[in-house]
Amino acid sequence: MIAAFDNTFLTLVLNPNSNIPIDPSTGVALTHCYQRIDALIDAHSVRQDSIIIPSPCLSEMLCSVPDLEVAVGEIRRSTAMEIYPFDSRCAIDLAEVVRQAIASGDKKSGVDAGWQEIKFDRQIAVIAKTNGAQVFYTDDKNQTEFSKQLGMSVKHTWELDIPPSHAQVNMEGI
C-alpha cells in the first residue's frame, strides 16, 4: 500500500517535542499519541508499504524540528519514506482539479479558507494522489476534504489504534 503523511504526522514522527493533537471527541490532548504513531510506522514497515512525503509537508515539518539535518537524515535512511515534489504531472492534475471546481461554481470546493491556503493544501493532496497514495494521514480539515475529494481515504491521529500494550484492560466482570 502507498500512504502519504502530511506535516502533522511527519512532525510527530520526527520531532519528539511536537505538540500533541487535540482529540475532537474529548477536547483534550490525544492519549498515547506517540505510541499510536509508532504502531502506525511499525504496521507500514511490516507490510513494506511506501510512505509519500509531499515536499511542501517536508518544508513545513523542517521549520519545527530541533535539528534539520537529523530529520532529513532519518528520512533519507528510511526504506519506506520518500519525498515527492510538485512536478509537471502534479501541475496538470491540479489544473484539472481546479478547473472542475470552477466549473462546478465553487473554486474553493466548499472549504472555508483563504485562496493561498487552499492552493497550497490542494498541491499537497495532489502530490499524494498523483504518486499513488491510497490513504492520507492528516489532522488538517482542508487536507482531509481535498484528499477525500481526490478519492483517498483519510486517517487522523485520533483514529489510530492504541497499541494493545497501552490499551486499558476492562476489568469489569472479572
Side-chain angles (χ1 to χ4, degrees):
M1 172 173 46
I2 300 175
F5 282 4
D6 82 337
N7 169 52
T8 306
F9 274 77
L10 195 55
T11 300
L12 289 169
V13 169
L14 297 171
N15 183 359
N17 301 318
S18 58
N19 293 328
I20 300 210
I22 301 298
D23 183 338
S25 68
T26 64
V28 297
L30 181 65
T31 60
H32 305 295
C33 180
Y34 291 106
Q35 292 84 359
R36 292 173 195 242
I37 295 293
D38 287 345
L40 172 69
I41 297 295
D42 290 345
H44 281 295
S45 294
V46 165
R47 292 191 308 258
Q48 297 183 328
D49 294 341
S50 297
I51 299 172
I52 292 171
I53 300 171
S55 56
C57 295
L58 174 68
S59 177
E60 285 183 279
M61 181 275 302
L62 290 175
C63 293
S64 67
V65 294
D67 190 322
L68 186 136
E69 290 179 20
V70 169
V72 171
E74 285 188 43
I75 293 169
R76 287 187 176 146
R77 280 189 300 280
S78 170
T79 58
M81 290 190 275
E82 190 169 343
I83 301 162
Y84 284 83
F86 183 77
D87 60 12
S88 58
R89 280 185 357 181
C90 294
I92 293 165
D93 290 350
L94 178 60
E96 185 59 33
V97 168
V98 174
R99 290 168 59 95
Q100 288 175 0
I102 291 170
S104 76
D106 181 11
K107 77 176 186 176
K108 292 185 174 185
S109 299
V111 172
D112 185 25
W115 184 236
Q116 292 306 315
E117 182 181 351
I118 287 172
K119 290 193 300 186
F120 191 71
D121 287 342
R122 274 188 176 144
Q123 283 182 357
I124 291 168
V126 165
I127 290 169
K129 181 63 177 180
T130 299
N131 290 288
Q134 295 132 334
V135 62
F136 196 95
Y137 292 94
T138 183
D139 287 345
D140 182 273
K141 67 179 183 174
N142 295 348
Q143 287 299 320
T144 295
E145 184 61 31
F146 293 137
S147 297
K148 286 180 177 179
Q149 288 174 10
L150 293 174
M152 291 179 279
S153 64
V154 175
K155 284 286 197 179
H156 305 99
T157 52
W158 53 87
E159 295 173 326
L160 299 177
D161 292 331
I162 297 174
S165 60
H166 291 87
Q168 290 184 351
V169 176
N170 184 353
M171 301 298 284
E172 189 176 313
I174 294 180

